[in-house]
Amino acid sequence: MVTRRNVLGAIATAGLLPRAWAAAGASGGAAPSEALRDIAARKGMRFGTALGHGARQFGDPAYRALVARECNVIVAENEMKWPALEPQRGQPRYGPADEMLAWAAQQGIAMRGHNLFWQAEKWQPGWLAHEDFGAQPRQAAEQLMRAHVRGVCGHYGKQIASWDVVNEAVDPADGQLRANALTRPLGAVEQIALAFRLAAEYAPHAELVYNDYMRPDTGSAKHREGVLRLLEQLRRQGAPVHALGIQSHIGSWDEGKADLTQWRRFLDQVTGMGYGLLVTEFDVNDRRLPGDIAVRDAGVAAATRDYLDVTLSYPVLKDVLVWGMADHISWLQNWHEAPRTDGLATRPCPYDAQLNAKPMREAIAAALRAAPPRTA
Ligand code: XIL
């Protein structure tokens, strides 16, 4: 159980309290002196966020300015997903993603691509479920995948230097690979390997990433095992997969406890196979922390620091992206799977709804400062 005492105890042990509270202090949200992008750059790293095209994010000049100040890499929150780029079969719609890409380029901010294939059927284009693959389903499925990758990677060319090629292939419940309209004709591992081969063909310059949400907590053990199994199979097949994207939606998702020893073991195994690492979607679910804001924010900051200290200790990891810079725009506000039981708004991001820096922002800065420098 999380009590005020043990949250504060953990934070005191982590040495976070004075800095954390200074960040939330009387100045009422003055911009922190050194931007996260600059702290990261000194280490040979990048810091960034997901950015949505809507009125409260890209459409809000204050939010956009915050992103420009803190970040040197962004990723579209939804706008480069297949259903967004091709809502009707054969009718591409690149507008919103292109607008954000043009803005980013103007600001000197890189943009990652997310994602070419999302394995859960729920997140694939609606029309894909009704696709008739005819008498030669294997060839037809491959052709469809090829057309998609050729279209999207051709459209972006070198502007996107890092792609989440496949997202969330492993079912966390049992560690098995998810099935969908493309895996059924092709086979699950084969379809994933094909996705990477196509990405290598049409975006030969790009870093190709397998992205998933396995976490350090004990409840995520099967998920981690399944991801390791998949990465081993892809290696054996010689699929061009360069790195594992660690989504990093951490915090209280289930009854499990964070086990950073297991986490380190997992990252050792992944890097031992020669894969790079990225933190692609970091946020901290605060649902089991008390409602009291100071206590809650301190708990989120402590979890941030503990997690990033271990994860950033791997020098192959060069990108840290959060999934939203400020609480009010976080996807977790409406995410049905793990809501706060007290009905309070969640506080999973480095800035609050008024765009004031929170202790979590300072914890990220501290973890970046403590990370070993990356060599080119
Ligand atoms: C989420 C977006 O934030 C939501 O707006 C959308 O409704 C669903 O997708 N893992 C991922 C991201 O890889 O693409 C998800 O983004 C969050 C979990």
Side-chain angles (χ1 to χ4, degrees):
M1 202 180 100
V2 179
T3 62
R4 187 184 172 102
R5 233 169 87 197
N6 63 31
V7 168
L8 291 178
I11 293 154
T13 318
L16 270 172
L17 211 47
R19 272 190 308 235
W21 284 13
S27 65
S33 55
E34 196 183 8
L36 293 171
R37 57 181 283 167
D38 296 330
I39 304 173
R42 273 197 277 116
K43 291 294 164 82
M45 300 175 69
R46 302 191 296 186
F47 175 80
T49 185
L51 181 61
H53 188 263
R56 299 189 311 162
Q57 297 192 55
F58 188 64
D60 172 2
Y63 186 81
R64 224 167 46 218
L66 170 64
V67 171
R69 189 170 76 230
E70 292 277 47
C71 302
N72 51 5
V73 56
I74 60 164
V75 61
E77 183 174 5
N78 290 301
E79 294 73 3
M80 278 193 200
K81 293 169 181 173
W82 196 356
L85 292 184
E86 194 178 354
Q88 311 288 331
R89 193 173 181 336
Q91 295 177 34
R93 183 176 175 270
Y94 285 101
D98 283 2
E99 236 183 280
M100 293 197 288
L101 179 62
W103 172 80
Q106 226 174 36
Q107 305 287 325
I109 300 174
M111 191 161 182
R112 302 196 60 246
H114 173 82
N115 51 57
L116 292 172
F117 296 97
W118 193 342
Q119 297 300 92
E121 267 185 321
K122 173 178 180 195
W123 300 111
Q124 298 187 325
W127 53 261
L128 185 56
H130 311 291
E131 187 74 9
D132 178 6
F133 289 123
Q136 295 191 299
R138 194 172 257 283
Q139 285 87 333
E142 174 164 350
Q143 256 174 39
L144 183 69
M145 287 176 63
R146 178 177 292 278
H148 172 53
V149 176
R150 183 176 47 217
V152 175
C153 293
H155 180 83
Y156 287 112
K158 292 196 172 153
Q159 296 176 98
I160 301 289
S162 177
W163 272 107
D164 291 336
V165 177
V166 175
N167 198 34
E168 303 182 358
V170 176
D171 186 338
D174 56 11
Q176 300 302 308
L177 295 176
R178 297 178 201 264
N180 62 47
L182 297 169
T183 64
R184 280 187 282 272
L186 289 163
V189 184
E190 292 73 10
Q191 185 261 336
I192 296 166
L194 174 62
F196 280 94
R197 286 202 305 275
L198 291 168
E201 189 176 336
Y202 293 106
H205 58 279
E207 171 188 53
L208 305 181
V209 177
Y210 172 69
N211 194 47
D212 209 334
Y213 60 93
M214 62 284 138
R215 299 179 306 258
D217 54 80
T218 46
S220 194
K222 287 202 174 109
H223 201 171
R224 291 193 301 268
E225 281 161 30
V227 168
L228 284 175
R229 214 160 33 235
L230 173 63
L231 292 176
E232 274 161 16
Q233 285 170 299
L234 292 170
R235 263 291 169 267
R236 233 178 291 130
Q237 295 206 1
V241 186
H242 303 134
L244 173 65
I246 310 161
Q247 291 188 5
S248 309
H249 298 293
I250 65 159
S252 317
W253 284 91
D254 50 35
E255 301 296 337
K257 282 201 175 13
D259 182 342
L260 292 169
T261 308
Q262 287 304 323
W263 185 238
R264 202 180 273 285
R265 195 160 298 153
F266 171 75
L267 297 178
D268 284 345
Q269 285 176 275
V270 175
T271 52
M273 286 187 262
Y275 289 104
L277 300 171
L278 304 83
V279 169
T280 51
E281 307 184 12
F282 183 53
D283 52 25
V284 183
N285 188 330
D286 69 4
R287 63 194 291 265
R288 290 197 201 285
L289 290 172
D292 180 284
I293 286 181
V295 177
R296 194 144 47 111
D297 285 359
V300 165
T304 297
R305 185 69 203 266
D306 287 348
Y307 176 75
L308 290 183
D309 275 352
V310 173
T311 309
L312 303 194
S313 73
Y314 292 79
V316 289
L317 191 154
K318 294 185 177 141
D319 283 347
V320 177
L321 284 84
V322 294
W323 205 247
M325 287 297 284
D327 295 333
H328 64 297
I329 59 85
S330 171
W331 71 301
L332 291 173
Q333 294 303 354
N334 314 307
W335 192 244
H336 58 281
E337 275 180 18
R340 281 191 69 84
T341 46
D342 57 14
L344 292 174
T346 179
R347 299 176 63 84
C349 299
Y351 281 76
D352 69 15
Q354 286 72 45
L355 307 187
N356 294 318
K358 293 167 54 198
M360 180 184 177
R361 192 258 173 215
E362 196 49 38
I364 295 171
L368 288 169
R369 286 196 182 100
R374 275 60 176 154
T375 47

